[in-house]
Amino acid sequence: MSYFKHAEDRESLDLAPGARTHTFWGENMLLSLVEIDANALVPLHTHPHEQAGIVVEGELEMGVNGEVKVLMVGDMYIIPGGVEHYAQGLDQPCKALDVFSPVREEFKY
């Protein structure tokens, strides 16, 4: 078992048209490096997992429970489980690092 991972060494998992992720997980949390193409949409959805994240490249519009904000590099978010949210790419591609707890089994691939 290696303790070190690199996103490019792993195939991506499609989330929505124009949005994909590379995931890595331990026993209690999962990291998801999400890439969203310009103007691509990860539609409104919910899941029981708590989600926290940070924008690492580009800009991203995010709506959480009806509140909408444009996030830039360094902006963070925390979404409780069961709360509706979406993410929309803007004029350029963006990347965000999400952390989920507990591990999302459907993201283990």
Side-chain angles (χ1 to χ4, degrees):
M1 172 178 146
S2 175
Y3 293 101
F4 304 99
K5 310 292 182 188
H6 192 277
E8 297 305 318
D9 293 340
R10 184 158 173 71
E11 281 185 41
S12 62
L13 174 69
D14 290 336
L15 300 173
R20 64 214 147 273
T21 187
H22 301 266
T23 62
F24 302 88
W25 57 90
E27 204 170 307
N28 299 304
M29 71 178 128
L30 177 136
L31 297 175
S32 173
L33 185 59
V34 180
E35 300 169 336
I36 301 177
D37 296 340
N39 304 306
L41 173 68
V42 178
L44 195 63
H45 64 282
T46 64
H47 43 73
H49 313 81
E50 185 173 42
Q51 176 180 349
I54 183 170
V55 177
V56 295
E57 285 182 24
E59 296 178 359
L60 172 70
E61 177 185 296
M62 183 171 276
V64 180
N65 203 27
E67 181 181 348
V68 177
K69 183 167 175 112
V70 173
L71 304 174
M72 298 179 203
V73 172
D75 286 340
M76 293 179 246
Y77 45 91
I78 298 175
I79 306 169
V83 172
E84 285 191 323
H85 57 284
Y86 74 90
Q88 170 86 50
L90 298 176
D91 293 336
Q92 58 182 326
C94 65
K95 285 186 184 178
L97 177 63
D98 285 338
V99 179
F100 293 94
S101 181
V103 172
R104 290 185 66 168
E105 292 297 320
E106 71 272 26
F107 278 10
K108 292 169 67 173
Y109 64 98

